[in-house]
Amino acid sequence: MDFETSDDRRMLADTLARFLAEACPPEKRATLAYAAPFHDHEAWSGLAGLGVLMAFIPEAEGGLGGRGFDVMTVFEQIGRALSPEPVLPALMAARLLLAARGDVDGLMSGEVRLAVAIGEPDAPWDLSDIATRAERNADRWTLTGRKSVVYGGNDADRLLVAARTGEGLSLFDVSPENAGVIGYGMIDGGGAAEVILDATPATLLIENAEDALNDALDHGRLALCAEALGAMDHVQALTLDYLKTRQQFGRPIGKNQALQHRMVDLMTEIEQARSITILAASRMAEGDRARSVAMAKHLVGRVATLVAEEAIQMHGGIAMTWEHPVSHYAKRLVMIDHQLGDTDFHLSRLMEDLRA
């Protein structure tokens, strides 16, 4: 496997890192991510101006990439900076619009913010449990149901909604103005929404949408794995620096061999997570995409939780305070495991795949 990053992706990563360091420093993020709209419109426009959203679109469609490694490049920097910008729903919406052969110009320019409404209170991750119904009267579609934890839905211009018809799952375009959108902030920062649909007018985008929805979900899961890698790298660096500088009994606590062993174990786990994420990124256009993504999400979720817990333990009580960045990174790392399927869910996916 080739672990080398292309020059274009390296340039994108460097540019994005510099931009986020200025647009989302820790002290600003601690306020910005927890107050409506839970992100910065100016930073969002800046990301679009850098071409970040174009990295999710193939060159043939006017974008700059569209491959798994392009997703990984962007989201590692998102995780390193702990940016609350709704880039994840934009990625998933891009995959769905491409499948629908829809217009992606507004998405790439950042002028149109989209959110993807798939999960429900009784169907957070599994498509087979979706209960939202679509009904057709003459040439008009309406949707009835409830979508839960719609990331970016609190500030979206359009909603892409998965609903069940008599033929299976389909994808619809819904205006937030026609739906009941209840926005709120997440415990780890960023915004989401509950979406209430009651005979809500909708436009059909994809009639048989299960494959497209699975593709969008798997790209979102890869993005979360990459985001976790960026966050874990930063937390590891913060923890190592703390062990080198924190003095106890006249010497750095990093001289303690037990803490050295724990840091080496963390570094090993993070590198394992990196390897499985790279493998998944390399297989996004192949037939075993779903298995590779499930493997990555399962392992990364477990490692991310371990890194969060160990960083807090080795920092001591200070890492639990609002003012310390580790507390915010730890919350995000733990919550990444619960987005788009936790470790148990993806372990079940792997077991089912092996049985098949």
Side-chain angles (χ1 to χ4, degrees):
M1 186 186 301
D2 186 4
F3 285 79
E4 288 296 320
T5 303
S6 70
D7 291 339
D8 288 344
R9 291 179 184 129
R10 192 177 297 111
M11 186 184 307
L12 174 61
D14 292 343
T15 303
L16 182 54
R18 289 194 297 270
F19 174 82
L20 290 175
E22 296 180 3
C24 188
E27 60 277 7
K28 181 178 180 181
R29 195 264 180 195
T31 300
L32 176 70
Y34 297 95
F38 309 107
H39 74 106
D40 184 354
H41 285 176
E42 185 176 341
W44 176 256
S45 298
L47 287 174
L50 289 176
V52 170
L53 304 180
M54 296 178 70
F56 305 146
I57 308 295
E59 293 183 16
E61 304 293 335
L64 299 174
R67 299 179 182 273
F69 287 113
D70 298 305
V71 172
M72 192 173 170
T73 298
V74 170
F75 278 88
E76 274 198 80
Q77 301 307 320
I78 294 290
R80 197 179 303 274
L82 209 61
S83 171
E85 298 304 315
V87 185
L88 177 65
L91 164 66
M92 296 175 65
R95 299 302 305 180
L96 291 171
L97 288 178
L98 288 170
R101 300 188 180 279
D103 184 4
V104 295
D105 290 345
L107 183 148
M108 287 192 293
S109 68
E111 295 175 0
V112 179
R113 292 184 295 276
L114 294 101
V116 178
I118 298 176
E120 300 178 1
D122 295 324
W125 304 315
D126 198 331
L127 293 180
S128 63
D129 294 330
I130 288 177
T132 298
R133 305 294 304 181
E135 296 182 359
R136 184 173 184 176
N137 298 311
D139 59 347
R140 180 173 177 266
W141 286 94
T142 59
L143 307 183
T144 300
R146 175 176 175 175
K147 295 297 179 178
S148 186
V149 196
V150 179
Y151 296 103
N154 61 296
D155 195 40
D157 300 307
R158 290 168 57 192
L159 300 171
L160 304 184
V161 182
R164 193 169 297 281
T165 66
E167 303 299 321
L169 285 176
S170 297
L171 182 72
F172 296 86
D173 188 344
V174 172
S175 170
E177 296 178 355
N178 296 327
V181 178
I182 305 169
Y184 51 85
M186 302 295 290
I187 192 172
D188 55 326
E194 302 296 297
V195 177
I196 311 300
L197 304 163
D198 185 9
T200 302
T203 301
L204 179 65
L205 294 180
I206 306 176
E207 186 170 2
N208 298 306
E210 188 163 344
D211 288 344
L213 290 168
N214 278 319
D215 174 80
L217 286 168
D218 282 342
H219 276 78
R221 289 159 181 154
L222 173 67
L224 289 170
C225 290
E227 182 184 348
L229 283 179
M232 288 190 291
D233 280 342
H234 190 71
V235 168
Q236 175 191 309
L238 289 175
T239 306
L240 184 59
D241 182 66
Y242 182 79
L243 295 182
K244 289 179 178 180
T245 58
R246 174 72 167 90
Q247 296 281 326
Q248 192 174 58
F249 304 116
R251 67 174 191 167
I253 62 174
K255 293 287 187 180
N256 187 311
Q257 194 174 56
L259 293 179
Q260 293 176 8
H261 289 172
R262 289 169 71 176
M263 280 302 299
V264 170
D265 288 343
L266 276 192
M267 293 172 66
T268 302
E269 293 285 353
I270 292 171
E271 289 309 308
Q272 291 280 4
R274 191 184 317 281
S275 295
I276 197 70
T277 303
I278 291 173
L279 177 65
S282 71
R283 292 181 174 176
M284 292 308 287
E286 299 180 8
D288 58 351
R289 177 202 71 216
R291 178 191 295 183
S292 300
V293 169
M295 290 168 58
K297 190 66 167 60
H298 169 72
L299 179 60
V300 170
R302 181 180 62 79
V303 174
T305 301
L306 174 67
V307 170
E309 292 172 348
E310 284 288 86
I312 289 174
Q313 284 285 323
M314 285 188 272
H315 272 83
I318 191 174
M320 296 293 291
T321 63
W322 180 267
E323 291 76 13
H324 201 284
V326 167
S327 66
H328 299 277
Y329 279 90
K331 282 194 293 186
R332 182 66 191 130
L333 285 171
V334 171
M335 289 305 297
I336 280 176
D337 178 39
H338 296 280
Q339 279 188 264
L340 306 186
D342 62 10
T343 54
D344 291 340
F345 174 78
H346 288 290
L347 181 59
S348 297
R349 288 182 72 199
L350 289 170
M351 293 168 64
E352 292 173 3
D353 185 69
L354 289 172
R355 280 197 295 264

Coordinates of all heavy atoms in Angstrom, one line a residue, residues 147-216:
K147 N -37.0 12.8 11.8 CA -35.6 12.5 11.7 C -34.9 13.1 12.9 O -35.2 14.2 13.3 CB -35.1 13.2 10.4 CG -35.6 12.6 9.1 CD -35.3 11.1 9.0 CE -35.8 10.5 7.7 NZ -35.4 9.1 7.6
S148 N -33.9 12.3 13.4 CA -33.3 12.7 14.6 C -31.8 12.9 14.4 O -31.1 12.3 13.6 CB -33.5 11.6 15.6 OG -33.0 11.9 16.9
V149 N -31.2 13.9 15.2 CA -29.8 14.2 15.2 C -29.3 14.4 13.8 O -28.4 13.7 13.3 CB -28.9 13.2 15.9 CG1 -27.6 13.8 16.3 CG2 -29.6 12.7 17.2
V150 N -29.9 15.4 13.1 CA -29.5 15.7 11.7 C -28.4 16.7 11.8 O -28.6 17.9 12.1 CB -30.7 16.3 10.9 CG1 -30.3 16.6 9.5 CG2 -31.9 15.3 10.9
Y151 N -27.2 16.3 11.6 CA -26.0 17.1 11.7 C -26.1 18.3 10.7 O -26.3 18.1 9.5 CB -24.7 16.3 11.5 CG -24.6 15.3 12.6 CD1 -24.8 14.0 12.3 CD2 -24.2 15.6 13.9 CE1 -24.7 13.0 13.3 CE2 -24.1 14.7 14.9 CZ -24.3 13.4 14.6 OH -24.2 12.4 15.6
G152 N -25.9 19.5 11.2 CA -26.0 20.7 10.3 C -27.4 21.1 10.0 O -27.6 22.1 9.3
G153 N -28.4 20.3 10.4 CA -29.8 20.6 10.1 C -30.3 21.9 10.7 O -31.3 22.5 10.2
N154 N -29.7 22.4 11.8 CA -30.1 23.6 12.4 C -29.8 24.8 11.6 O -30.4 25.9 11.8 CB -29.3 23.8 13.7 CG -27.8 23.9 13.5 OD1 -27.2 22.9 13.1 ND2 -27.2 25.0 13.9
D155 N -28.9 24.7 10.6 CA -28.5 25.9 9.8 C -28.5 25.6 8.3 O -27.7 26.2 7.5 CB -27.2 26.4 10.3 CG -26.8 27.8 9.8 OD1 -27.8 28.6 9.8 OD2 -25.7 28.0 9.4
A156 N -29.3 24.6 7.9 CA -29.3 24.1 6.5 C -30.3 24.9 5.6 O -31.3 25.3 6.1 CB -29.6 22.6 6.4
D157 N -29.9 25.1 4.4 CA -30.8 25.7 3.4 C -31.7 24.6 2.7 O -32.7 24.9 2.2 CB -30.0 26.4 2.3 CG -29.1 27.5 2.9 OD1 -29.6 28.4 3.6 OD2 -27.9 27.5 2.6
R158 N -31.2 23.4 2.7 CA -31.9 22.3 2.1 C -31.7 21.0 2.9 O -30.6 20.8 3.5 CB -31.5 22.0 0.6 CG -31.9 23.1 -0.4 CD -31.2 22.9 -1.7 NE -31.4 21.6 -2.3 CZ -30.7 21.2 -3.3 NH1 -29.7 21.9 -3.8 NH2 -30.9 20.0 -3.8
L159 N -32.7 20.2 2.9 CA -32.6 18.9 3.6 C -32.7 17.7 2.6 O -33.7 17.8 1.8 CB -33.6 18.7 4.7 CG -33.7 19.8 5.8 CD1 -34.9 19.6 6.6 CD2 -32.4 19.6 6.7
L160 N -31.8 16.8 2.6 CA -31.9 15.6 1.8 C -32.4 14.5 2.7 O -31.7 14.1 3.6 CB -30.6 15.3 1.2 CG -29.9 16.4 0.3 CD1 -28.6 15.8 -0.3 CD2 -30.9 16.9 -0.7
V161 N -33.6 14.0 2.5 CA -34.3 13.2 3.4 C -34.5 11.8 2.8 O -35.0 11.6 1.7 CB -35.7 13.8 3.8 CG1 -36.4 12.9 4.8 CG2 -35.5 15.2 4.3
A162 N -34.2 10.7 3.6 CA -34.4 9.4 3.2 C -35.8 9.0 3.8 O -36.1 9.2 4.9 CB -33.4 8.4 3.8
A163 N -36.6 8.4 2.9 CA -38.0 8.0 3.3 C -38.4 6.7 2.5 O -37.8 6.4 1.5 CB -39.0 9.1 3.0
R164 N -39.3 6.0 3.1 CA -39.7 4.7 2.5 C -41.0 4.9 1.7 O -42.0 5.5 2.1 CB -40.0 3.8 3.7 CG -40.1 2.3 3.3 CD -40.1 1.4 4.5 NE -38.8 1.5 5.2 CZ -37.7 0.9 4.8 NH1 -37.7 0.2 3.7 NH2 -36.6 1.0 5.5
T165 N -40.9 4.3 0.5 CA -42.1 4.3 -0.4 C -42.5 2.8 -0.5 O -41.9 1.9 0.1 CB -41.7 4.8 -1.8 OG1 -40.7 3.9 -2.4 CG2 -41.1 6.2 -1.8
G166 N -43.4 2.5 -1.3 CA -43.9 1.1 -1.5 C -42.8 0.3 -2.1 O -42.8 -1.0 -2.0
E167 N -41.9 0.9 -2.8 CA -40.8 0.2 -3.5 C -39.5 0.1 -2.8 O -38.6 -0.6 -3.2 CB -40.5 0.9 -4.9 CG -41.7 1.1 -5.8 CD -42.3 -0.3 -6.2 OE1 -41.6 -1.2 -6.4 OE2 -43.6 -0.4 -6.2
G168 N -39.4 0.7 -1.7 CA -38.1 0.7 -0.9 C -37.8 2.1 -0.4 O -38.7 3.0 -0.2
L169 N -36.5 2.4 -0.2 CA -36.0 3.7 0.2 C -35.8 4.6 -0.9 O -35.2 4.2 -1.9 CB -34.7 3.5 1.1 CG -34.9 3.0 2.5 CD1 -33.5 2.8 3.1 CD2 -35.7 3.9 3.3
S170 N -36.2 5.8 -0.8 CA -36.0 6.9 -1.8 C -35.4 8.1 -1.1 O -35.4 8.2 0.1 CB -37.3 7.2 -2.5 OG -37.8 6.1 -3.2
L171 N -34.8 9.0 -1.9 CA -34.2 10.2 -1.4 C -35.0 11.4 -1.9 O -35.4 11.5 -3.1 CB -32.8 10.4 -1.9 CG -32.0 11.6 -1.3 CD1 -31.7 11.4 0.1 CD2 -30.7 11.8 -2.1
F172 N -35.3 12.4 -1.0 CA -36.1 13.5 -1.3 C -35.4 14.8 -0.9 O -34.6 14.8 0.0 CB -37.5 13.4 -0.6 CG -38.3 12.3 -1.1 CD1 -38.2 11.0 -0.5 CD2 -39.2 12.4 -2.1 CE1 -39.0 10.0 -0.9 CE2 -40.0 11.4 -2.5 CZ -39.9 10.1 -1.9
D173 N -35.7 15.9 -1.6 CA -35.3 17.2 -1.3 C -36.4 18.0 -0.6 O -37.5 18.1 -1.1 CB -34.9 17.9 -2.6 CG -34.2 19.3 -2.3 OD1 -34.2 19.8 -1.2 OD2 -33.5 19.8 -3.3
V174 N -36.1 18.5 0.6 CA -37.1 19.2 1.4 C -36.6 20.5 1.8 O -35.5 20.7 2.2 CB -37.5 18.3 2.7 CG1 -38.4 19.1 3.6 CG2 -38.1 17.0 2.3
S175 N -37.5 21.5 1.7 CA -37.1 22.9 2.2 C -37.4 22.9 3.8 O -38.4 22.5 4.2 CB -38.0 23.9 1.6 OG -37.8 25.2 2.2
P176 N -36.4 23.4 4.5 CA -36.6 23.5 6.0 C -37.8 24.3 6.4 O -38.3 24.1 7.4 CB -35.3 24.1 6.5 CG -34.3 23.8 5.4 CD -35.0 23.8 4.1
E177 N -38.1 25.3 5.5 CA -39.3 26.1 5.8 C -40.6 25.4 5.9 O -41.5 25.8 6.5 CB -39.4 27.2 4.8 CG -38.2 28.2 4.8 CD -38.3 29.2 3.7 OE1 -39.2 29.1 2.9 OE2 -37.4 30.1 3.6
N178 N -40.6 24.2 5.2 CA -41.9 23.4 5.1 C -41.9 22.3 6.2 O -42.9 21.6 6.3 CB -42.0 22.8 3.8 CG -42.2 23.8 2.7 OD1 -42.8 24.8 2.9 ND2 -41.7 23.5 1.5
A179 N -40.8 22.2 6.9 CA -40.7 21.1 8.0 C -40.6 21.8 9.3 O -40.2 22.9 9.5 CB -39.5 20.2 7.7
G180 N -40.8 21.0 10.4 CA -40.6 21.4 11.7 C -39.1 21.1 12.1 O -38.8 20.0 12.4
V181 N -38.3 22.1 12.1 CA -36.8 22.0 12.4 C -36.6 22.5 13.8 O -36.7 23.7 14.0 CB -36.0 22.7 11.3 CG1 -34.5 22.5 11.7 CG2 -36.2 22.1 9.9
I182 N -36.1 21.7 14.7 CA -35.8 22.1 16.0 C -34.3 22.0 16.2 O -33.7 20.9 16.3 CB -36.5 21.2 17.1 CG1 -38.0 21.2 16.8 CG2 -36.2 21.7 18.5 CD1 -38.8 20.2 17.6
G183 N -33.6 23.1 16.1 CA -32.1 23.1 16.2 C -31.6 23.1 17.6 O -32.2 23.6 18.5
Y184 N -30.4 22.6 17.8 CA -29.8 22.6 19.1 C -28.3 22.3 18.9 O -27.8 21.9 17.9 CB -30.4 21.5 20.0 CG -30.4 20.1 19.4 CD1 -29.4 19.2 19.5 CD2 -31.6 19.7 18.8 CE1 -29.4 18.0 18.9 CE2 -31.7 18.4 18.2 CZ -30.6 17.6 18.3 OH -30.6 16.3 17.7
G185 N -27.5 22.5 20.0 CA -26.1 22.3 20.0 C -25.8 20.9 20.6 O -26.5 20.4 21.5
M186 N -24.7 20.3 20.1 CA -24.3 19.0 20.5 C -23.4 19.1 21.8 O -22.8 20.2 22.0 CB -23.6 18.2 19.4 CG -24.4 18.0 18.2 SD -25.8 17.0 18.4 CE -25.0 15.4 18.7
I187 N -23.3 18.1 22.6 CA -22.5 18.2 23.8 C -21.0 18.4 23.5 O -20.3 18.9 24.3 CB -22.7 16.9 24.6 CG1 -22.1 17.0 26.0 CG2 -22.1 15.7 23.9 CD1 -22.4 15.9 27.0
D188 N -20.6 17.9 22.3 CA -19.2 18.1 21.9 C -19.0 19.3 21.0 O -17.9 19.4 20.3 CB -18.7 16.8 21.2 CG -19.5 16.4 20.1 OD1 -20.8 16.6 20.1 OD2 -19.0 15.8 19.1
G189 N -20.0 20.1 20.8 CA -19.9 21.3 19.9 C -20.5 21.0 18.6 O -20.7 19.9 18.2
G190 N -20.8 22.1 17.9 CA -21.5 21.9 16.6 C -23.0 21.8 16.7 O -23.5 21.6 17.8
G191 N -23.7 21.9 15.6 CA -25.1 21.9 15.6 C -25.8 20.8 15.0 O -25.2 20.1 14.1
A192 N -27.0 20.5 15.4 CA -27.8 19.4 14.8 C -29.3 19.8 14.9 O -29.6 20.9 15.4 CB -27.6 18.1 15.5
A193 N -30.2 19.0 14.5 CA -31.6 19.3 14.6 C -32.5 18.0 14.6 O -32.1 17.0 14.1 CB -32.0 20.2 13.4
E194 N -33.6 18.2 15.2 CA -34.7 17.2 15.0 C -35.6 17.8 13.9 O -35.9 19.0 13.9 CB -35.5 17.0 16.3 CG -34.7 16.6 17.5 CD -34.1 15.2 17.3 OE1 -34.9 14.2 17.1 OE2 -32.9 15.1 17.3
V195 N -36.0 16.9 13.0 CA -36.8 17.4 11.8 C -38.2 16.6 11.9 O -38.2 15.4 11.8 CB -36.1 17.1 10.5 CG1 -37.0 17.5 9.3 CG2 -34.8 17.9 10.4
I196 N -39.3 17.4 12.0 CA -40.6 16.8 12.1 C -41.3 17.0 10.7 O -41.4 18.1 10.2 CB -41.5 17.5 13.2 CG1 -40.7 17.5 14.5 CG2 -42.8 16.7 13.3 CD1 -40.3 16.2 15.1
L197 N -41.7 15.9 10.1 CA -42.3 15.9 8.8 C -43.8 15.4 9.0 O -44.0 14.3 9.5 CB -41.6 14.9 7.9 CG -40.1 15.2 7.7 CD1 -39.4 14.0 7.1 CD2 -39.8 16.4 6.8
D198 N -44.7 16.3 8.5 CA -46.1 16.0 8.7 C -46.8 16.4 7.3 O -47.2 17.6 7.1 CB -46.7 16.8 9.8 CG -48.2 16.4 10.1 OD1 -48.7 15.5 9.5 OD2 -48.8 17.1 10.9
A199 N -46.9 15.4 6.4 CA -47.4 15.7 5.1 C -46.6 16.8 4.5 O -47.1 17.7 3.8 CB -48.9 16.0 5.1
T200 N -45.3 16.8 4.6 CA -44.4 17.9 4.2 C -44.1 17.7 2.7 O -43.7 16.6 2.2 CB -43.1 17.8 5.0 OG1 -43.3 18.0 6.4 CG2 -42.1 18.9 4.5
P201 N -44.3 18.8 1.9 CA -44.0 18.7 0.5 C -42.5 18.3 0.2 O -41.6 18.8 0.9 CB -44.3 20.1 -0.1 CG -45.1 20.7 1.0 CD -44.8 20.1 2.3
A202 N -42.2 17.5 -0.8 CA -40.9 17.0 -1.1 C -40.7 16.8 -2.6 O -41.7 16.5 -3.3 CB -40.6 15.8 -0.3
T203 N -39.5 16.9 -3.0 CA -39.1 16.6 -4.4 C -38.3 15.3 -4.5 O -37.3 15.2 -3.8 CB -38.3 17.8 -5.0 OG1 -39.1 19.0 -4.9 CG2 -38.0 17.5 -6.5
L204 N -38.7 14.4 -5.3 CA -38.0 13.1 -5.4 C -36.7 13.3 -6.2 O -36.7 13.9 -7.3 CB -38.9 12.1 -6.2 CG -38.3 10.7 -6.4 CD1 -38.0 10.0 -5.1 CD2 -39.1 9.9 -7.4
L205 N -35.6 12.8 -5.6 CA -34.3 12.9 -6.2 C -33.8 11.6 -6.7 O -33.3 11.5 -7.8 CB -33.3 13.5 -5.2 CG -33.4 14.9 -4.7 CD1 -32.3 15.3 -3.8 CD2 -33.4 15.9 -5.9
I206 N -34.0 10.5 -5.9 CA -33.5 9.2 -6.3 C -34.6 8.2 -5.8 O -35.0 8.2 -4.7 CB -32.2 8.8 -5.6 CG1 -31.1 9.8 -5.9 CG2 -31.8 7.4 -6.1 CD1 -29.8 9.5 -5.2
E207 N -35.1 7.4 -6.8 CA -36.3 6.5 -6.4 C -35.8 5.3 -5.6 O -36.3 5.0 -4.6 CB -37.0 6.1 -7.7 CG -38.2 5.2 -7.4 CD -39.0 5.0 -8.6 OE1 -38.6 5.4 -9.7 OE2 -40.1 4.3 -8.5
N208 N -34.8 4.6 -6.1 CA -34.2 3.5 -5.4 C -32.8 4.0 -4.8 O -31.8 3.9 -5.5 CB -34.0 2.3 -6.3 CG -35.4 1.8 -6.9 OD1 -36.3 1.5 -6.1 ND2 -35.5 1.7 -8.2
A209 N -32.9 4.4 -3.6 CA -31.7 5.2 -3.1 C -30.9 4.4 -2.1 O -29.9 5.0 -1.5 CB -32.2 6.5 -2.4
E210 N -31.1 3.2 -1.9 CA -30.4 2.5 -0.8 C -28.9 2.4 -1.1 O -28.1 2.7 -0.1 CB -30.9 1.0 -0.6 CG -30.3 0.3 0.6 CD -31.1 -0.9 1.0 OE1 -32.3 -1.0 0.6 OE2 -30.6 -1.7 1.8
D211 N -28.5 2.1 -2.3 CA -27.1 2.1 -2.6 C -26.4 3.5 -2.4 O -25.3 3.6 -1.9 CB -26.8 1.6 -4.1 CG -27.1 0.1 -4.2 OD1 -27.2 -0.6 -3.2 OD2 -27.3 -0.3 -5.4
A212 N -27.1 4.5 -2.9 CA -26.6 5.9 -2.7 C -26.5 6.3 -1.3 O -25.5 6.9 -0.8 CB -27.5 6.9 -3.5
L213 N -27.5 5.9 -0.5 CA -27.5 6.2 1.0 C -26.3 5.5 1.7 O -25.6 6.1 2.5 CB -28.8 5.8 1.6 CG -30.0 6.7 1.2 CD1 -31.3 6.1 1.7 CD2 -29.8 8.1 1.8
N214 N -26.1 4.2 1.3 CA -25.0 3.5 1.9 C -23.6 4.1 1.5 O -22.7 4.1 2.3 CB -25.0 2.0 1.5 CG -26.0 1.2 2.3 OD1 -26.1 1.3 3.6 ND2 -26.8 0.3 1.7
D215 N -23.5 4.5 0.3 CA -22.3 5.2 -0.2 C -22.1 6.5 0.6 O -20.9 6.7 1.1 CB -22.4 5.5 -1.7 CG -21.3 6.3 -2.2 OD1 -20.2 5.7 -2.4 OD2 -21.4 7.6 -2.3
A216 N -23.1 7.3 0.8 CA -22.9 8.5 1.6 C -22.6 8.2 3.0 O -21.7 8.9 3.6 CB -24.2 9.3 1.5

